[in-house]
Amino acid sequence: RVHLAQQRRSSESGAATLRILLDALEQRGIPTVPIKGPALAQCLYGDLSGRSFRDLDFLIPHQYREQTLAYLISKGYRETIPELTPAQLAHYRRYGGQAILFGTGLPVEPHWEFAPRTLAIDLDYPALWSRVHRVNLAGWSTRALAAEDQVILLCLHGGKEGWTRLKWVLDLALYLERTPAIDWEVVENRARAQGVLRLCLLGLALCERLFGLSPPRRMSDSLTADPKIPTLIAMVDDLLWRKDSIGPSIHHMNRFHWMLRERSKDKLLYLVRSLALPHFVHFENLRIPDVLFPLYYLFTPIHDVLLMPAWHGLKRVQSKLRR
């Protein structure tokens, strides 16, 4: 009871903060959609204490990114990122699809995309925004994703993180139970067109495996026909039940994220972006003026494929010699 009371107070405080911020952004003409966090807790449980959350996530259209970040910074929020040049900062914004800002309460995470560019999950965001509608969330009039888009988001979030937390599977299972009017033909067609059908199929397979929730009839044939699903389930099993599990990196190429993609062109994009797109470590190890920024696209694969393995190999040899 003490734990739940503490969680309720924290959740109510976070929800109040999110509502104030989003209402202020809406007044400035910036459309927002609360995602995960308080909105999902209220949707799934009808009670903010039913689901814990550690940050306040919301979606904004890409074109309002800088305006949103400027407003949050004006309210005292700060990003804890290394000092970057203008070109590096612009690349970081495009790369991540989100920002994490810290203030006095829970961190705030505005998203303009649901996954970093490395993963090559390029959703049709203008179409997604065209389907957003207004809902009443515990007396708060706000926006929400279409049910079919929400299913894809929950599957995408779990897949991106390797489904390393049981809570994310439960989120999807409860949402499916609470939302019987989902049009599964739309989900399948939309997911297939955007190259994320296997992501969705894996989420449904985990709901069946862990919570006994039978997949929708519309998706059963696709689920049975996909030969990679059993292997992916085994990989999730290995991660989910290990106490020290760490999900597959979203910044570096790995087998799990490779297997999640059903289209060859998406796998190729994933390979190219994983090898070529620089991140903080590349900016730290190569300091060049912004006019030479394109050199990072040459330096990044050399750094990751040649220099870092050689460095780690040298350290191992030195360690053995000392022993």
Side-chain angles (χ1 to χ4, degrees), residues 17-232:
T17 299
L18 181 65
R19 178 172 179 172
I20 290 169
L21 290 175
L22 297 197
D23 285 348
L25 290 171
E26 292 278 351
Q27 290 171 10
R28 286 160 175 78
I30 302 174
T32 62
V33 177
I35 55 175
K36 299 185 286 184
L40 193 55
Q42 191 67 44
C43 172
L44 299 183
Y45 298 97
D47 185 345
L48 290 173
S49 67
R51 180 187 185 275
S52 62
F53 48 90
R54 297 182 298 181
D55 40 43
L56 305 174
D57 299 87
F58 60 94
L59 181 68
I60 56 171
H62 185 276
Q63 64 268 29
Y64 293 103
R65 180 185 67 197
E66 298 304 324
Q67 189 178 345
T68 300
L69 294 177
Y71 171 74
L72 292 173
I73 290 171
S74 75
K75 303 306 289 185
Y77 289 92
R78 293 291 181 268
E79 290 181 275
T80 57
I81 59 176
E83 187 174 341
L84 301 175
T85 68
Q88 290 172 346
L89 183 60
H91 170 83
Y92 166 71
R93 299 271 189 250
R94 291 193 303 270
Y95 174 94
Q98 68 180 70
I100 305 176
L101 298 97
F102 297 85
T104 55
L106 293 176
V108 175
E109 289 194 30
H111 296 250
W112 40 96
E113 294 183 5
F114 291 138
R117 293 189 67 234
T118 322
L119 296 183
I121 298 174
D122 300 324
L123 302 183
D124 187 348
Y125 288 98
L128 181 147
W129 274 100
S130 73
R131 297 186 290 266
V132 165
H133 59 283
R134 296 205 75 87
V135 296
N136 187 290
L137 193 64
W140 176 28
S141 177
T142 186
R143 289 183 172 88
L145 299 176
E148 294 75 19
D149 292 324
Q150 181 69 48
V151 170
I152 292 174
L153 168 60
L154 292 174
C155 293
L156 194 161
H157 179 254
K160 178 184 71 171
E161 303 293 345
W163 293 105
T164 51
R165 305 182 89 183
L166 189 62
K167 177 173 74 172
W168 296 329
V169 188
L170 183 58
D171 286 344
L172 178 60
L174 285 177
Y175 188 79
L176 300 184
E177 287 189 339
R178 303 284 192 273
T179 319
I182 295 169
D183 188 329
W184 286 102
E185 181 177 2
V186 169
V187 172
E188 183 177 25
N189 292 339
R190 197 171 289 166
R192 191 187 302 278
Q194 298 179 103
V196 293
L197 180 58
R198 184 172 290 161
L199 272 162
C200 294
L201 294 176
L202 176 60
L204 296 175
L206 291 172
C207 286
E208 181 177 32
R209 179 175 177 79
L210 297 172
F211 296 108
L213 187 65
S214 299
R217 185 177 303 173
R218 171 77 194 193
M219 308 292 280
S220 295
D221 290 344
S222 297
L223 192 54
T224 304
D226 193 321
K228 302 296 184 183
I229 296 297
T231 303
L232 286 165

Side-chain angles (χ1 to χ4, degrees), residues 117-123 191-196 253 257-258 261-274:
R117 293 189 67 234
T118 322
L119 296 183
I121 298 174
D122 300 324
L123 302 183
R192 191 187 302 278
Q194 298 179 103
V196 293
M253 192 79 183
H257 286 136
W258 173 270
R261 316 313 306 280
E262 66 262 23
R263 301 189 307 197
S264 297
K265 68 175 185 178
D266 294 327
K267 290 186 174 184
L268 178 60
L269 267 179
Y270 175 46
L271 173 63
V272 170
R273 292 181 183 179
S274 297

